[in-house]
Amino acid sequence: MKLILTLQDKLQNAATKMQISRLVNNKLAKYSDNIRKITISVKDIPQDKQSTMKQCSIELLLPGLPSMQIKARGKDLIQATKRALQYSQQQLAHKYQLGH
């Protein structure tokens, strides 16, 4: 399972990348044999005059199945990533449950 992380409008430091990679490993460890590549991109979305939200987009490349793309929004980087990972975990459970 290969992880590609892209943050727009932010500097990507090692601590952020480690925190997100731990989240990915915790949420999707069950499906690591079935995932070839994970691409995570996070960008800012202007909400109001003062606040901005983060949008996390996760693309999962699955061998033998069409790739999945999930988007979720959150107040900060971690919340948006957690939501997108939760949605992707539900979608993977649904796709691989139908095969059994």
Side-chain angles (χ1 to χ4, degrees):
M1 182 166 68
K2 183 179 178 183
L3 176 64
I4 299 172
L5 176 63
T6 306
L7 299 173
Q8 294 179 355
D9 302 331
K10 294 282 181 182
L11 292 175
Q12 181 177 347
N13 58 11
T16 305
K17 188 168 184 173
M18 281 301 296
Q19 190 173 13
I20 291 176
S21 69
R22 282 188 199 137
L23 280 172
V24 169
N25 286 334
N26 288 340
K27 292 284 187 179
L28 303 178
K30 185 177 175 181
Y31 304 103
S32 64
D33 294 338
N34 299 323
I35 299 172
R36 188 172 294 162
K37 182 173 77 168
I38 300 174
T39 306
I40 299 176
S41 63
V42 180
K43 63 180 180 177
D44 292 335
I45 296 177
Q47 195 68 15
D48 293 333
K49 292 180 181 177
Q50 299 158 342
S51 66
T52 60
M53 292 188 76
K54 305 286 185 195
Q55 181 176 7
C56 180
S57 175
I58 296 180
E59 183 179 0
L60 300 171
L61 185 64
L62 307 171
L65 290 173
S67 62
M68 294 175 26
Q69 188 167 16
I70 294 115
K71 292 182 181 179
R73 292 184 181 182
K75 293 180 183 178
D76 59 356
L77 173 71
I78 300 301
Q79 184 184 23
T81 306
K82 282 182 180 179
R83 283 183 179 175
L85 285 171
Q86 182 181 6
Y87 297 153
S88 63
Q89 188 178 25
Q90 290 172 354
Q91 291 294 321
L92 282 169
H94 180 52
K95 279 192 182 224
Y96 285 107
Q97 185 179 21
L98 293 176
H100 293 292

